Amino acid sequence: MSSPTKPINVIVIGAGFAGLSTAISCHRAGLNVTIYERAPALQPLGDIISFGRNAGLIFARWDRALVDEMLPLSIDLRHHGFRIHKYTGEHVTTQHSVPRDMEAPTINGHRGELHLVLVRYVTERLGVELRLGCEVVSCFEGTPDGEGRAGIELASGEKVYGDVVIGCDGVHSKARELVLGHETKLQSSGYAIFRAWFDNKDIIADPLTRHLCENGDTFNGWIGPDVHFLVSSLKGGKDVCWVLTHKDDSNITDRWSFPGKLADVYKIFEGWDPICRRIVSKTPEDSLIDWKLIWQDPLPTWVSKGGHIALAGDSAHAFLPTSTQGATQALEDGVTIATCLKWAGRERIPEALRAFEKIRYDRVCKVQETGKTTRERWHKASWDEVERNPKSLELPREDWILGHDAEGHAEEMCERIFGDRSGNMRGESKI
Ligand SMILES: Cc1cc2nc3c(=O)[nH]c(=O)nc-3n(C[C@H](O)[C@H](O)[C@H](O)COP(=O)(O)OP(=O)(O)OC[C@H]3O[C@@H](n4cnc5c(N)ncnc54)[C@H](O)[C@@H]3O)c2cc1C
Ligand SMILES: *[C@@H]1O[C@H](CO)[C@@H](O)[C@H](O)[C@H]1NC(C)=O
Ligand SMILES: *[C@@H]1O[C@H](CO)[C@@H](O)[C@H](O)[C@H]1NC(C)=O
């Protein structure tokens, strides 16, 4: 039934960044992987998303051509840096960009555009099967017929069997309750974001805002009590996007994205630098989104009882945007899962998934917390202190986060966990 050369059949639920990373990494490790995605077609949805250097390292290792394709879509701040202002308008400090590292570039760009680069890579370059329009309604493990050790059921009624199921189905995950055996409650983080993305036409036409786009990419922030406003221009100043994070006590957790109203944004700007209102006034109202920030305390586990189903990405852990690491940590999950499966082999799937959780859990929780600490540092800034130490408002660039090599680390850990027992990868005997 289980010849040692049979590849591990991996079922991935969801084609977000967690699912794509899991699929690419499993494919590279010689596993047989298929992705099941609910959306009938993948459109370039969303707006700004951040990938830290620790994600750039992963992309570059997969394929330098990916980096070549992504960098022109990414904000380039080598000339501008990040200019930070007090909400009343005073310039506080400019955080300079680190020199570009082609082995581990930072990539900040449009989520949909970057996502489609990866989707094309997965389907066209690697030939991994991505099945669209496949909503997973349940997953299970321990199939009695021996056809597989875990599987999923689609809305169509079709059942698919494999050796392992990875639930990469986002913050409103279905896989999560199946893994934990009960429903979990999402919480409101107490904050929401107004966000928008549009072309530079009206910004360029106004002499007061033209500087944001006319000489290439820019990034400016205004920090106020319990609010921050970030504005960037990208692709040589051609596109503009902004996000405004503010308190929101509506407690909505079932959906995150609603159409926004400009009038509600203007209310927040009372007493603010008039340029903020001016920038927002260029926003086509139909591009404005009211995005509720959902939080979830760390789950007790990401792995099912039987050890054949695991969660990755947002379904396992929610990130606040101020961590700027949500998508990057989703990539690190996928890389780690594939490394663990490769080392453990087909006969030790539960051990592989438990190793994945062990390798990732503490790091993820620590990075998650930085979303709160950065927000609080901005929102609760004491302006006397900021005057003495303007750099305290800079975005933290911590080496333990950004300098991390997820694959290298997973290889090292797996060698310790699995190396002495199997001495080889993919469960083949070396004798
Ligand atoms: C449409 C969309 C727009 C977004 N826009 C932004 C943005 O502008 N900026 C930002 O920072 N973050 C955005 N995010 C969130 C961001 O992509 C994630 O926080 C992060 O990248 C982690 O990715 P993930 O793969 O874990 O989850 P997600 O990116 O949420 O991906 C989950 C995937 O699973 C699919 N899925 C869900 N349930 C099922 C099911 N039952 N069966 C099959 N498939 C299922 C979803 O359709 C989705 O493709 C967006 C997410 C989505 C889905
Ligand atoms: C790979 O996975 C697909 C989809 O689950 C399956 O149809 C195929 O038989 C698998 N290939 C092998 C060699 O197991
Ligand atoms: C949201 O939840 C918080 C804490 O549970 C509560 O204090 C607040 O009143 C709630 N807000 C609304 C609008 O229900």
Side-chain angles (χ1 to χ4, degrees), residues 104-408:
T106 300
I107 292 170
N108 297 295
H110 192 288
R111 177 200 180 265
E113 293 173 2
L114 295 169
H115 185 235
L116 288 189
V117 170
L118 273 194
V119 167
R120 277 198 305 272
Y121 179 71
V122 165
T123 55
E124 290 166 24
R125 282 290 300 280
L126 302 184
V128 167
E129 193 180 355
L130 165 54
R131 287 187 55 190
L132 296 172
C134 289
E135 178 174 2
V136 175
V137 293
S138 77
C139 44
F140 46 86
E141 56 191 336
T143 56
D145 49 15
E147 265 190 85
R149 288 170 259 184
I152 55 172
E153 185 178 350
L154 305 179
S156 64
E158 184 189 346
K159 284 190 178 159
V160 185
Y161 303 96
D163 297 306
V164 53
V165 174
I166 310 297
C168 304
D169 49 347
V171 74
H172 296 289
S173 168
K174 181 116 211 167
R176 186 164 54 221
E177 67 176 86
L178 298 162
V179 161
L180 295 173
H182 56 83
E183 251 185 85
T184 52
K185 262 181 54 197
L186 294 167
Q187 301 155 28
S188 159
S189 71
Y191 288 84
I193 300 185
F194 286 112
R195 50 197 307 157
W197 182 291
F198 46 97
D199 67 54
N200 71 8
K201 179 168 64 69
D202 293 339
I203 295 268
I204 281 272
D206 183 340
L208 281 179
T209 53
R210 182 178 294 161
H211 64 281
L212 295 171
C213 293
E214 68 183 346
N215 294 310
D217 296 354
T218 62
F219 185 25
N220 287 278
W222 285 262
I223 314 266
D226 267 328
V227 180
H228 66 269
F229 180 50
L230 305 176
V231 183
S232 38
S233 65
L234 305 86
K235 300 194 261 181
K238 193 173 96 22
D239 286 359
V240 181
C241 73
W242 58 261
V243 292
L244 175 69
T245 304
H246 62 100
K247 274 211 171 244
D248 180 300
D249 60 6
S250 58
N251 290 352
I252 293 171
T253 56
D254 59 331
R255 224 175 97 200
W256 65 50
S257 179
F258 299 83
K261 289 202 193 66
L262 287 171
D264 292 334
V265 178
Y266 294 146
K267 277 184 217 151
I268 296 169
F269 282 147
E270 275 163 34
W272 279 54
D273 185 351
I275 190 76
C276 298
R277 192 190 161 103
R278 193 91 177 192
I279 294 165
V280 165
S281 76
K282 316 297 178 196
T283 310
E285 194 151 28
D286 62 5
S287 82
L288 181 64
I289 286 173
D290 177 2
W291 175 284
K292 309 296 184 193
L293 288 180
I294 291 169
W295 176 255
Q296 172 160 58
D297 285 327
L299 301 176
T301 179
W302 304 337
V303 179
S304 64
K305 268 213 175 74
H308 289 87
I309 309 172
L311 305 173
D314 281 2
S315 70
H317 40 67
F319 275 84
L320 295 172
T322 27
S323 75
T324 68
Q325 277 282 319
T328 302
Q329 292 301 313
L331 295 183
E332 290 191 354
D333 281 350
V335 168
T336 308
I337 286 171
T339 306
C340 292
L341 288 171
K342 177 185 80 176
W343 273 90
R346 202 162 165 272
E347 301 312 320
R348 290 189 290 179
I349 303 276
E351 287 90 335
L353 296 187
R354 287 182 193 122
F356 152 65
E357 177 176 302
K358 183 177 153 73
I359 293 169
R360 295 285 302 149
Y361 197 86
D362 289 349
R363 171 170 172 80
V364 163
C365 293
K366 256 176 89 184
V367 179
Q368 257 179 323
E369 277 305 306
T370 66
K372 286 186 180 164
T373 47
T374 299
R375 182 190 69 204
E376 294 308 286
R377 220 152 38 78
W378 279 357
H379 286 188
K380 309 277 184 280
S382 143
W383 293 102
D384 290 339
E385 248 173 67
V386 168
E387 209 168 301
R388 280 192 296 275
N389 180 17
K391 290 196 174 303
S392 65
L393 287 189
E394 291 188 350
L395 273 171
R397 284 193 192 123
E398 298 191 63
D399 199 56
W400 68 269
I401 300 178
L402 300 173
H404 187 69
D405 172 357
E407 187 177 4

Side-chain angles (χ1 to χ4, degrees), residues 6-7 9-11 32-34 36 129 160-161:
K6 231 175 139 185
N9 283 322
V10 183
I11 295 171
N32 181 29
V33 57
T34 309
Y36 297 84
E129 193 180 355
V160 185
Y161 303 96

Side-chain angles (χ1 to χ4, degrees), residues 18 21-22 24 52 114 181 198 249 298 321 422:
S21 171
T22 304
I24 294 169
L114 295 169
F198 46 97
D249 60 6
S422 86

